[in-house]
Amino acid sequence: MSDDITDDLEDVLAHETIAVVGCSSTPGKAAHDVPKYLLDHGYDVIPVNPFADEIFGRDVYDALSDVEEEIDVVCIFRPSEEVSEIVDSALERDDVDAIWTQQGIRDDDAAARAEDDGRTVVQSRCMMVEHRRRSA
């Protein structure tokens, strides 16, 4: 991550298409409410969850590698120990500019690999909170 996290946050939040790995179909869970907020605020949210068929009236992909649309940002709602594998999947795609792990989720080694590959990384921050801060 660059020294100026504010610039990184602004850059990532300026993107439009967000694949949410671990998106939940259960209202009340952060993995549901945060992507719903993003969807309601103009982002194109692509749910990724192998245990759901539809979330927010949208088809759900089993894995990041299955997503056919272009992805700008991969937002991760999975435990920290799963981040490495998700980051590797993101790095296999040429379209992913940024990787964002939600509050409490981080993997510094995976983040370093992504940054070394030219991707922006934001760890352990909530996209909804950061968006609200900048929209107030």
Side-chain angles (χ1 to χ4, degrees):
M1 195 165 358
S2 75
D3 292 335
D4 192 353
I5 184 64
T6 302
D7 287 345
D8 284 349
L9 293 172
E10 296 287 342
D11 290 347
V12 176
L13 290 169
H15 288 294
E16 295 177 6
T17 305
I18 303 169
V20 180
V21 179
C23 190
S24 175
S25 58
T26 307
K29 286 189 167 186
H32 177 275
D33 295 348
V34 172
K36 178 76 168 99
Y37 168 90
L38 295 170
L39 187 63
D40 290 346
H41 285 82
Y43 290 94
D44 181 13
V45 173
I46 302 169
V48 179
N49 179 334
F51 304 107
D53 294 323
E54 186 180 297
I55 301 174
F56 315 128
R58 295 172 164 239
D59 289 336
V60 180
Y61 292 94
D62 287 345
L64 210 47
S65 58
D66 296 330
V67 176
E68 297 166 1
E69 297 95 68
E70 294 279 317
I71 299 171
D72 299 321
V73 180
V74 172
C75 178
I76 302 173
F77 274 97
R78 297 298 304 149
S80 296
E81 56 269 15
E82 294 181 25
V83 169
S84 182
E85 184 178 326
I86 296 164
V87 167
D88 287 345
S89 291
L91 295 180
E92 290 175 7
R93 299 180 64 105
D94 293 331
D95 53 350
V96 175
D97 292 324
I99 297 166
W100 185 301
T101 64
Q102 281 297 123
Q103 193 73 41
I105 303 168
R106 73 179 304 123
D107 181 325
D108 293 337
D109 291 338
R113 284 199 314 275
E115 288 172 340
D116 288 348
D117 198 55
R119 320 298 173 103
T120 302
V121 177
V122 177
Q123 292 195 91
S124 192
R125 289 184 179 255
C126 177
M127 282 190 100
M128 180 175 71
V129 169
E130 297 301 337
H131 182 269
R132 280 184 176 155
R133 253 187 216 144
R134 283 150 184 76
S135 302

